[in-house]
Amino acid sequence: MAKEFRQKIRQKNTDNSGFGDNASGRFINKNGLPNVNRKGVNVFNRFSWYHTMLELSTFNFLSYLVIAYILVNLFFALIYYLIGVEHLTGIDKSDPVSEFIDVFFFSSQTFTTVGYGRIAPVGFMASLVATFEAFLGLLTFAIATGLFYGRFSRPRAYLKFSDIALIAPFKNKTALMFRLAPYKNNSLTDADVIVSAAIEVIENSVPKSNFYTLKTQLSKINTLALNWTIVHQIDEDSPFFGFSDEDFKNTHIEIIVHVRAFDEVFSNTVVQRTSYVSDEIIYGAKFIPMYYPDKDNQSTVLNLDKMNHYQQADLPIFQEENE
Amino acid sequence: MAKEFRQKIRQKNTDNSGFGDNASGRFINKNGLPNVNRKGVNVFNRFSWYHTMLELSTFNFLSYLVIAYILVNLFFALIYYLIGVEHLTGIDKSDPVSEFIDVFFFSSQTFTTVGYGRIAPVGFMASLVATFEAFLGLLTFAIATGLFYGRFSRPRAYLKFSDIALIAPFKNKTALMFRLAPYKNNSLTDADVIVSAAIEVIENSVPKSNFYTLKTQLSKINTLALNWTIVHQIDEDSPFFGFSDEDFKNTHIEIIVHVRAFDEVFSNTVVQRTSYVSDEIIYGAKFIPMYYPDKDNQSTVLNLDKMNHYQQADLPIFQEENE
Amino acid sequence: MAKEFRQKIRQKNTDNSGFGDNASGRFINKNGLPNVNRKGVNVFNRFSWYHTMLELSTFNFLSYLVIAYILVNLFFALIYYLIGVEHLTGIDKSDPVSEFIDVFFFSSQTFTTVGYGRIAPVGFMASLVATFEAFLGLLTFAIATGLFYGRFSRPRAYLKFSDIALIAPFKNKTALMFRLAPYKNNSLTDADVIVSAAIEVIENSVPKSNFYTLKTQLSKINTLALNWTIVHQIDEDSPFFGFSDEDFKNTHIEIIVHVRAFDEVFSNTVVQRTSYVSDEIIYGAKFIPMYYPDKDNQSTVLNLDKMNHYQQADLPIFQEENE
Amino acid sequence: MAKEFRQKIRQKNTDNSGFGDNASGRFINKNGLPNVNRKGVNVFNRFSWYHTMLELSTFNFLSYLVIAYILVNLFFALIYYLIGVEHLTGIDKSDPVSEFIDVFFFSSQTFTTVGYGRIAPVGFMASLVATFEAFLGLLTFAIATGLFYGRFSRPRAYLKFSDIALIAPFKNKTALMFRLAPYKNNSLTDADVIVSAAIEVIENSVPKSNFYTLKTQLSKINTLALNWTIVHQIDEDSPFFGFSDEDFKNTHIEIIVHVRAFDEVFSNTVVQRTSYVSDEIIYGAKFIPMYYPDKDNQSTVLNLDKMNHYQQADLPIFQEENE
């Protein structure tokens, strides 16, 4: 069965995907990141802390900052406490707890350079530590500044992809379709898309993945303001030529999508990727339009909630032309 | 009439504009942004606050900063007031109002980390809130720093377009012309332009827009220092071939312009767009030169106020060559 | 004479220089900026203050910062003084001068948020102004931070061009040569060069400039680490074909050079331009090599001081081939 | 011998390497930087301090900051001391040493703008210097902020190259192979590679380097997530065609590798280079795969420690086809 199936695929596979025959599982995750685990090298060298910080959710990022802030102050509070509260003016010496509380707040007032002065260092050691802590505080906020800027100035495409791809009727033939649209107030131009497919075939009873580049009707547009429906016509040149509903269901298929555009605010190229696997492909359906003229006909409305709206559609009966 | 009108347009339309038949109204606004309203998704996800902050006018941006500053201080002042002024030293306790005024200023002195210390926290709660406020203050200014940098380091083309496009005589034929020039002390090189046209036609009594790419005489220049007049010759290959003054007036036409250049200071590609609709197209006119040699002939003067200066000009009588 | 001179130039001129016939004087200054003065628009809109700040010399930039700092403090000092020194604690009230000096320093301690507190605001007005000044101070330093970063992160090519171009012997013919080299510890790759020439010709007794693209022997190199000698062979396709020493001297010629490369530290394309006019072109000379093997033959030495070293060289006698 | 050796190399050399015949030693160091020493120009103009700061190790960078901080404070402490401690309040005047210690800490409290106020300036001179120091402090931290951001936002490829290149069997022929892989959590796409070779030949008894571009099987891939093995087949078009083990050992050979990719987090092109010289090329060996399916077959594992794992492999006996 694998053999005849192989015959179905006429296009020769051209592997410039960067994934070898031996890779397994989904190649590109839904979020666009490659599905690869790295081993070896030690863990510290395996992560770019800057990439990590940029990819944290805002909530986590802020939480880490607050936690770090508390820990640093506890640490310095301890040091001041060990040096001795007598080296700090204005400490409430009623009991050890109030003492520690006061040195903790002195630490925070130093780290943030607010320095009220109600509590101030007098001895050499306390002053020295405070000198260093204030310096550290400023460097920390210098780094925080960089991270904040890095986070929100990071160019992103802000594209929404349809969750599903369709096998839809198209010009008396069938076509693989999915769509995408920008969902934020960014302005994208010069968009292009590269679509490739990974299809698992059985060769002498070992599964291996072949990669194919999928031709699309329109691979470049000037303005990406409305939704963009990517259409790959399933003709003789398509690896899916002659695929039945079952073929799509029973084969390990992955459609890898790579969109590139120019963001006019960042003045930078932005990239977003996603992929569709077999059970995200719906056979015999077509998308319902998601944009329409404004009531006053003076502008166009794009309804992003309709991204995944589709309806059943009959496909033309497939005819092997060599019959 | 629509039919024969269709015949006038010989060039087949190639839609890679990114706007479908069904879009309506002006496609690209004068300022270059697409004329599209987004619906669906919740409003928070529909805006990139960073894009928004970058596009605010300087005045609005600063106003928001000041307002935020006042609100934050009122908020913290309230908290300190509720905690109780007895937890702050040096407060003027003559009456509630002076008390609130003093806690307000204490808050501001904490938020900005100026911390004179005339007013300083003593109790646990007050100190804790102050600790947090100072931290918040620094993060806020870290973000402000990033926003300021993001705002003024944002690459922009600083191009001025002529408000109007002309149908002018050109080499015994006619041509669509408009011009642009850089108006600031930025230095642009490797400039190119893409011009396309949207023309509304009536097909079986429903209006639809066709898109055409307009050939220009010179679509790339090395140095964009003087004005650049974009010339689209109206010959057999032009969708406007044979258009009369009336045709230009009575048809929904939109000329979409997309200019790209390399800014040597930003070392980045900058992009600017605009569009011209029917009533911004003047039939039978030509531009008056806007640059001339300096009096001493040692340099060239570009007079930006002449951007829109034009004079009437007779057009060659149009001859169908198949006559 | 102009006529026969015209005949000498066989290559048809292709003007994508961005400079029209009517431009005058040198087009590109030695420093690479276009030699154009802008008029019209009001002066504020004609300058990008950010571009201006980035192009200031470090010394001027710092001077402006210091001056601004002093002026701001004088301004606020005046306000505090008018509000009345009784609204500030710890002021030396011995005489008006000492009063003003103290409010001046109070202002600076507020603007920088150092806030010793020896002098501190007590009244409402003074506190209010101080609140605003501290806020302004932080915003100012936020902007300064952005400017500093913008200044030193601005991608630059750091290329040195030879001050002169040579007409040198080359493969039994002659060639126009000039050279360039990176002079800093930046690492440039994928360098390319575009060379064009502006030649003034007299057409019906009015001078006009024609523009020509000059072919070069090697317009792209992988690594720009040593000096790069750009060679334009003067053959039948060159506008300078058959030019004599006099022709070069007596004609308004400008060679416009545009170099682009990729800087690996900035990870950005960097661009540098320059130009050579008639009296910077030396006829009958060749460059002396400026790099040589290190004494131990383990690396290569590039001597930047030799950039302009050349020696006389006889040129092959020019033969019109149609003789 | 040199002569017949020359004959071996059939491909004509095309030098766009940027290195001339006369360069010597390794051209590109293992770390990818060109092996060139610059002379001339004065040393200050020969270094971009920003490039230098960005290339410092984190440890050195922080050390320099700390040292600078201490020196600045010592410097200002000295000034305050010379002005006289009587111009500062709250100084411990027990002895000169404690005095100096106190002015030192006052300086640091001013430079960091922590300004407790326990020590505060009273006289004109002391206040003036403090005013300037606080200003300097803020500018310094503005610069530090920029440097931190510049350092960690600097786009880098984070690629690991195999330490060695192999001459391996490939499709009944032999091929030069080496491999690379990303080792951090960055996401690279659109990767391409340029491979060139420098081969030293003896021409009339002077050694000179010829440069060749090496064709590779696959010079572009979409996703660089797994390891990428670069394969240069040694066929008639290869300069290494017919090279024996001895030829590789006894000839000065350098393989120069230039990899470019697009980093989705930086949204920027990143570049990394390396080179292989004769004794880093192993004859008759092949790489052992370094990635394999995860145990659950749901993803792929890349083991970076296997980067340099290879095994002996017999090469097909070389046949001059003209036999």
Side-chain angles (χ1 to χ4, degrees):
Chain A
M1 116 84 199
K3 194 168 178 330
E4 87 208 3
F5 173 80
R6 283 282 293 161
Q7 290 169 338
K8 277 196 180 157
I9 305 178
R10 291 144 189 248
Q11 190 191 25
K12 64 176 291 306
N13 61 321
T14 58
D15 188 358
N16 64 346
S17 67
F19 294 100
D21 309 341
N22 206 2
S24 76
R26 187 169 196 149
F27 298 104
I28 301 292
N29 293 320
K30 205 69 185 161
N31 67 9
L33 293 177
N35 180 21
V36 171
N37 305 326
R38 292 200 177 76
K39 271 185 53 182
V41 187
N42 80 55
V43 68
F44 296 108
N45 299 337
R46 215 161 62 232
F47 288 94
S48 155
W49 73 272
Y50 182 65
H51 280 67
T52 311
M53 285 315 231
L54 256 55
E55 278 156 353
L56 281 177
S57 73
T58 307
F59 178 80
N60 288 348
F61 179 66
L62 292 177
S63 312
Y64 289 162
L65 285 180
V66 172
I67 292 163
Y69 178 57
I70 294 167
L71 292 179
V72 166
N73 284 324
L74 283 174
F75 173 74
F76 277 100
L78 189 63
I79 294 180
Y80 294 119
Y81 191 76
L82 296 176
I83 291 172
V85 292
E86 61 279 14
H87 293 92
L88 295 172
T89 60
I91 290 283
D92 165 2
K93 299 210 178 48
S94 51
D95 59 289
V97 174
S98 344
E99 284 181 1
F100 191 83
I101 287 173
D102 266 10
V103 290
F104 177 85
F105 289 129
F106 168 69
S107 162
S108 71
Q109 291 162 21
T110 302
F111 191 76
T112 58
T113 77
V114 74
Y116 298 113
R118 205 204 86 234
I119 313 175
V122 277
F124 175 77
M125 280 310 293
S127 304
L128 187 66
V129 175
T131 291
F132 177 69
E133 185 180 12
F135 180 70
L136 185 69
L138 285 171
L139 293 195
T140 307
F141 287 108
I143 292 172
T145 304
L147 286 180
F148 271 110
Y149 181 69
R151 281 176 64 88
F152 53 67
S153 75
R154 169 186 169 188
R156 256 163 306 209
Y158 295 122
L159 294 178
K160 232 166 143 5
F161 288 95
S162 59
D163 301 334
I164 39 83
L166 308 180
I167 305 299
F170 179 74
K171 297 187 179 161
N172 319 325
K173 282 217 168 60
T174 61
L176 173 85
M177 297 187 183
F178 55 89
R179 59 186 179 183
L180 57 96
Y183 63 96
K184 284 196 189 267
N185 57 335
N186 54 341
S187 161
L188 301 174
T189 58
D190 293 331
D192 61 34
V193 65
I194 299 167
V195 185
S196 54
I199 304 180
E200 187 179 275
V201 294
I202 314 293
E203 271 181 355
N204 24 19
S205 74
V206 285
K208 80 186 271 305
S209 292
N210 286 345
F211 289 86
Y212 305 89
T213 307
L214 302 188
K215 292 204 201 59
T216 57
Q217 290 302 98
L218 188 71
S219 69
K220 232 178 164 333
I221 62 176
N222 296 337
T223 307
L224 183 43
L226 296 173
N227 65 298
W228 184 14
T229 304
I230 312 295
V231 176
H232 162 65
Q233 187 169 359
I234 300 182
D235 56 15
E236 294 67 19
D237 303 334
S238 166
F240 300 123
F241 184 64
F243 267 40
S244 67
D245 195 355
E246 287 60 40
D247 292 328
F248 278 109
K249 282 199 179 22
N250 306 334
T251 322
H252 278 303
I253 293 174
E254 181 172 350
I255 310 293
I256 297 169
V257 183
H258 184 96
V259 179
R260 221 171 13 196
F262 185 85
D263 180 293
E264 294 192 358
V265 172
F266 293 121
S267 260
N268 205 338
T269 301
V270 287
V271 161
Q272 196 166 325
R273 293 188 295 172
T274 191
S275 76
Y276 297 94
V277 290
S278 304
D279 53 19
E280 293 161 338
I281 299 174
I282 291 167
Y283 192 84
K286 66 179 191 212
F287 282 114
I288 293 164
M290 59 186 285
Y291 73 92
Y292 42 84
D294 205 355
K295 57 204 74 38
D296 59 2
N297 270 303
Q298 284 318 295
S299 71
T300 310
V301 177
L302 177 68
N303 187 340
L304 292 155
D305 291 339
K306 291 191 169 178
M307 183 59 87
N308 296 314
H309 289 201
Y310 65 88
Q311 63 194 44
Q312 290 307 322
D314 299 338
L315 298 182
I317 291 81
F318 165 64
Q319 297 296 344
E320 274 285 7
E321 47 289 311
N322 55 12
E323 291 171 18
Chain B
M1 118 79 196
K3 194 169 178 328
E4 88 209 2
F5 172 81
R6 282 283 293 162
Q7 290 168 337
K8 277 196 183 158
I9 304 178
R10 289 142 191 251
Q11 189 192 25
K12 65 177 289 305
N13 60 323
T14 58
D15 187 357
N16 65 345
S17 67
F19 293 100
D21 309 341
N22 207 2
S24 76
R26 187 171 196 146
F27 297 104
I28 300 291
N29 293 320
K30 207 68 184 160
N31 66 10
L33 293 177
N35 181 20
V36 171
N37 304 326
R38 293 202 177 74
K39 271 185 52 183
V41 186
N42 80 53
V43 68
F44 296 108
N45 299 336
R46 214 162 64 232
F47 289 93
S48 156
W49 74 272
Y50 182 65
H51 279 68
T52 312
M53 286 313 233
L54 255 56
E55 277 156 353
L56 282 176
S57 73
T58 307
F59 178 80
N60 288 348
F61 179 66
L62 292 176
S63 313
Y64 289 163
L65 285 180
V66 172
I67 292 163
Y69 178 57
I70 293 167
L71 291 179
V72 165
N73 285 323
L74 283 173
F75 173 75
F76 277 100
L78 189 63
I79 294 180
Y80 293 119
Y81 190 77
L82 296 177
I83 291 172
V85 292
E86 62 278 13
H87 293 92
L88 295 171
T89 59
I91 292 281
D92 164 3
K93 300 212 176 49
S94 52
D95 60 289
V97 173
S98 348
E99 284 180 1
F100 192 82
I101 287 172
D102 266 9
V103 290
F104 177 85
F105 290 128
F106 168 69
S107 163
S108 71
Q109 291 162 21
T110 303
F111 190 75
T112 58
T113 76
V114 74
Y116 298 112
R118 206 205 85 234
I119 313 174
V122 277
F124 176 77
M125 279 311 293
S127 303
L128 187 66
V129 176
T131 291
F132 177 69
E133 186 180 12
F135 180 70
L136 185 70
L138 285 170
L139 293 194
T140 307
F141 288 106
I143 292 171
T145 304
L147 286 180
F148 271 109
Y149 180 69
R151 280 177 64 88
F152 52 66
S153 75
R154 169 186 170 188
R156 256 163 306 209
Y158 295 122
L159 294 179
K160 234 168 140 12
F161 288 94
S162 58
D163 301 335
I164 39 84
L166 309 180
I167 305 299
F170 179 75
K171 296 188 180 160
N172 318 324
K173 283 216 167 61
T174 62
L176 173 85
M177 298 188 183
F178 56 89
R179 59 185 179 183
L180 57 95
Y183 64 95
K184 284 194 189 271
N185 56 335
N186 55 340
S187 160
L188 301 174
T189 57
D190 293 331
D192 61 34
V193 64
I194 299 167
V195 186
S196 53
I199 304 180
E200 188 180 272
V201 294
I202 314 294
E203 271 180 355
N204 24 22
S205 74
V206 284
K208 80 187 274 304
S209 293
N210 286 345
F211 289 86
Y212 306 88
T213 307
L214 302 188
K215 291 203 200 60
T216 56
Q217 291 301 96
L218 187 71
S219 68
K220 232 175 164 335
I221 61 176
N222 295 336
T223 308
L224 182 44
L226 296 173
N227 65 299
W228 184 15
T229 304
I230 311 295
V231 175
H232 162 66
Q233 186 169 358
I234 300 181
D235 56 15
E236 295 67 20
D237 303 334
S238 166
F240 300 123
F241 183 64
F243 267 40
S244 68
D245 195 356
E246 286 60 40
D247 292 328
F248 278 109
K249 284 203 178 17
N250 306 335
T251 323
H252 278 301
I253 293 175
E254 182 171 350
I255 310 293
I256 297 170
V257 184
H258 184 95
V259 179
R260 223 172 9 197
F262 185 84
D263 180 293
E264 294 191 359
V265 172
F266 293 122
S267 258
N268 205 337
T269 301
V270 287
V271 161
Q272 196 167 326
R273 292 188 296 172
T274 191
S275 76
Y276 298 94
V277 291
S278 305
D279 52 20
E280 293 162 339
I281 299 175
I282 291 166
Y283 193 84
K286 66 178 188 215
F287 282 115
I288 293 165
M290 59 187 284
Y291 73 93
Y292 42 82
D294 205 354
K295 57 203 77 36
D296 59 4
N297 271 303
Q298 285 318 295
S299 70
T300 310
V301 177
L302 177 68
N303 187 340
L304 292 155
D305 291 338
K306 291 190 168 179
M307 182 59 88
N308 296 315
H309 289 202
Y310 64 88
Q311 64 193 44
Q312 290 305 323
D314 299 337
L315 298 181
I317 291 82
F318 165 66
Q319 299 295 346
E320 275 284 6
E321 46 290 310
N322 55 13
E323 288 172 21
Chain C
M1 120 81 197
K3 194 169 180 328
E4 88 209 2
F5 172 80
R6 282 284 292 163
Q7 289 167 339
K8 277 200 183 154
I9 305 178
R10 291 144 190 250
Q11 190 190 23
K12 64 176 291 307
N13 62 321
T14 58
D15 187 358
N16 63 344
S17 68
F19 294 100
D21 308 341
N22 207 3
S24 76
R26 187 171 196 147
F27 297 103
I28 300 290
N29 293 319
K30 206 68 186 161
N31 67 8
L33 293 176
N35 180 20
V36 172
N37 304 326
R38 294 201 175 75
K39 271 187 53 185
V41 186
N42 80 54
V43 67
F44 296 108
N45 298 337
R46 215 162 63 232
F47 289 93
S48 156
W49 73 273
Y50 182 65
H51 280 68
T52 312
M53 286 314 233
L54 255 56
E55 276 155 355
L56 282 176
S57 73
T58 307
F59 178 79
N60 288 348
F61 179 66
L62 292 176
S63 312
Y64 289 162
L65 286 180
V66 172
I67 292 163
Y69 177 57
I70 294 167
L71 292 179
V72 166
N73 284 324
L74 282 173
F75 173 75
F76 277 101
L78 188 63
I79 294 180
Y80 293 119
Y81 190 77
L82 296 176
I83 291 171
V85 291
E86 63 277 14
H87 294 92
L88 294 172
T89 58
I91 291 281
D92 165 2
K93 299 209 177 50
S94 52
D95 60 286
V97 174
S98 346
E99 284 181 0
F100 191 82
I101 288 173
D102 267 9
V103 290
F104 176 85
F105 290 130
F106 168 70
S107 163
S108 71
Q109 291 162 21
T110 302
F111 190 75
T112 57
T113 77
V114 74
Y116 297 112
R118 207 205 84 233
I119 312 174
V122 277
F124 175 77
M125 279 310 293
S127 303
L128 188 65
V129 175
T131 291
F132 177 70
E133 186 180 11
F135 180 69
L136 185 69
L138 285 170
L139 293 194
T140 307
F141 287 106
I143 292 170
T145 304
L147 287 179
F148 272 109
Y149 181 69
R151 281 176 64 87
F152 52 66
S153 76
R154 168 187 171 189
R156 257 164 305 209
Y158 295 122
L159 293 179
K160 231 167 143 7
F161 288 94
S162 58
D163 301 334
I164 39 83
L166 309 179
I167 306 298
F170 179 76
K171 296 186 181 164
N172 319 325
K173 283 216 168 63
T174 62
L176 173 85
M177 298 189 183
F178 56 89
R179 58 185 180 184
L180 57 95
Y183 63 96
K184 283 195 190 268
N185 57 335
N186 55 340
S187 160
L188 301 174
T189 57
D190 293 330
D192 60 35
V193 64
I194 298 167
V195 186
S196 53
I199 303 180
E200 187 180 273
V201 294
I202 315 293
E203 272 181 355
N204 24 22
S205 74
V206 283
K208 77 185 276 304
S209 291
N210 286 345
F211 289 86
Y212 306 88
T213 307
L214 302 188
K215 290 202 201 62
T216 56
Q217 290 301 99
L218 188 70
S219 68
K220 232 176 166 332
I221 60 175
N222 296 338
T223 308
L224 183 44
L226 296 173
N227 64 299
W228 184 15
T229 304
I230 312 293
V231 175
H232 162 66
Q233 186 169 357
I234 300 182
D235 55 15
E236 295 67 21
D237 303 334
S238 166
F240 300 124
F241 183 64
F243 268 39
S244 68
D245 195 355
E246 288 59 40
D247 292 329
F248 278 109
K249 285 204 179 13
N250 306 334
T251 323
H252 278 302
I253 294 174
E254 182 171 351
I255 311 293
I256 296 170
V257 184
H258 184 96
V259 179
R260 222 172 10 195
F262 184 85
D263 180 294
E264 295 192 357
V265 172
F266 292 122
S267 259
N268 205 338
T269 302
V270 288
V271 161
Q272 196 167 325
R273 292 188 296 172
T274 192
S275 76
Y276 298 94
V277 291
S278 305
D279 52 19
E280 293 161 338
I281 300 174
I282 290 167
Y283 193 83
K286 65 177 192 218
F287 283 114
I288 293 165
M290 60 187 284
Y291 73 92
Y292 41 84
D294 204 354
K295 58 201 77 36
D296 59 3
N297 270 301
Q298 285 319 294
S299 71
T300 309
V301 177
L302 178 68
N303 186 340
L304 292 155
D305 291 338
K306 290 191 169 177
M307 182 58 89
N308 296 314
H309 289 202
Y310 64 88
Q311 64 193 41
Q312 291 306 323
D314 298 338
L315 298 182
I317 292 81
F318 166 66
Q319 299 294 346
E320 275 283 6
E321 45 289 313
N322 54 12
E323 290 173 20
Chain D
M1 117 84 200
K3 194 170 179 328
E4 86 207 4
F5 173 81
R6 283 281 293 160
Q7 290 169 337
K8 278 197 181 156
I9 304 177
R10 291 144 189 249
Q11 190 190 23
K12 64 175 290 306
N13 62 320
T14 58
D15 187 357
N16 64 345
S17 67
F19 294 99
D21 309 341
N22 205 3
S24 76
R26 187 171 196 147
F27 298 104
I28 300 291
N29 293 320
K30 206 70 185 159
N31 67 7
L33 293 176
N35 180 21
V36 172
N37 304 325
R38 293 200 176 77
K39 272 185 53 183
V41 186
N42 79 54
V43 68
F44 296 108
N45 299 336
R46 215 160 64 231
F47 289 93
S48 155
W49 73 273
Y50 183 65
H51 280 67
T52 312
M53 285 315 232
L54 255 56
E55 276 155 353
L56 281 176
S57 73
T58 307
F59 179 79
N60 289 348
F61 179 65
L62 292 176
S63 312
Y64 289 163
L65 286 180
V66 172
I67 291 164
Y69 178 56
I70 294 168
L71 291 179
V72 165
N73 284 324
L74 283 174
F75 172 74
F76 277 100
L78 189 63
I79 294 180
Y80 293 120
Y81 191 77
L82 295 177
I83 291 172
V85 292
E86 61 279 12
H87 293 93
L88 295 171
T89 59
I91 291 282
D92 165 2
K93 299 208 178 50
S94 51
D95 61 287
V97 174
S98 346
E99 285 181 1
F100 192 82
I101 287 174
D102 267 8
V103 291
F104 177 85
F105 289 130
F106 167 69
S107 163
S108 71
Q109 291 163 21
T110 301
F111 191 75
T112 57
T113 76
V114 74
Y116 298 112
R118 206 204 86 233
I119 313 174
V122 276
F124 176 76
M125 280 310 293
S127 303
L128 187 66
V129 175
T131 291
F132 177 70
E133 186 180 12
F135 180 69
L136 185 70
L138 285 170
L139 293 194
T140 306
F141 287 106
I143 292 171
T145 305
L147 287 180
F148 271 109
Y149 181 68
R151 280 176 65 86
F152 52 66
S153 75
R154 170 187 169 187
R156 257 164 304 211
Y158 296 122
L159 293 178
K160 231 166 143 6
F161 288 94
S162 59
D163 301 334
I164 39 84
L166 308 180
I167 305 300
F170 179 76
K171 296 186 180 162
N172 318 324
K173 282 216 170 60
T174 61
L176 173 84
M177 299 188 182
F178 55 89
R179 58 186 180 183
L180 57 95
Y183 63 95
K184 283 196 191 268
N185 56 336
N186 54 342
S187 160
L188 301 174
T189 57
D190 293 331
D192 62 33
V193 64
I194 299 167
V195 186
S196 53
I199 305 181
E200 186 179 276
V201 294
I202 315 294
E203 271 181 355
N204 23 19
S205 73
V206 284
K208 79 185 273 303
S209 292
N210 286 345
F211 289 85
Y212 306 88
T213 307
L214 302 188
K215 292 202 200 62
T216 56
Q217 291 302 97
L218 188 71
S219 69
K220 234 179 164 330
I221 61 177
N222 295 338
T223 307
L224 183 43
L226 296 173
N227 64 299
W228 184 15
T229 303
I230 312 296
V231 176
H232 163 66
Q233 185 169 0
I234 299 181
D235 56 15
E236 294 67 21
D237 303 334
S238 166
F240 300 124
F241 183 65
F243 268 38
S244 67
D245 195 355
E246 287 60 39
D247 291 329
F248 278 110
K249 283 200 180 18
N250 307 333
T251 323
H252 278 303
I253 294 174
E254 182 171 350
I255 311 293
I256 296 171
V257 184
H258 184 95
V259 179
R260 221 171 13 195
F262 184 85
D263 180 294
E264 295 191 358
V265 173
F266 293 122
S267 260
N268 205 339
T269 302
V270 287
V271 161
Q272 196 166 325
R273 292 188 297 172
T274 192
S275 76
Y276 297 94
V277 291
S278 305
D279 52 20
E280 293 161 337
I281 299 174
I282 291 166
Y283 193 85
K286 65 178 192 217
F287 282 114
I288 294 165
M290 58 187 285
Y291 74 91
Y292 41 83
D294 205 355
K295 58 202 75 36
D296 59 3
N297 271 302
Q298 284 319 296
S299 71
T300 309
V301 177
L302 178 68
N303 186 340
L304 291 155
D305 290 339
K306 291 191 169 179
M307 182 59 87
N308 296 313
H309 290 201
Y310 64 89
Q311 63 194 45
Q312 290 305 323
D314 299 338
L315 298 182
I317 292 81
F318 165 66
Q319 299 295 345
E320 275 286 4
E321 45 290 311
N322 54 14
E323 291 172 19

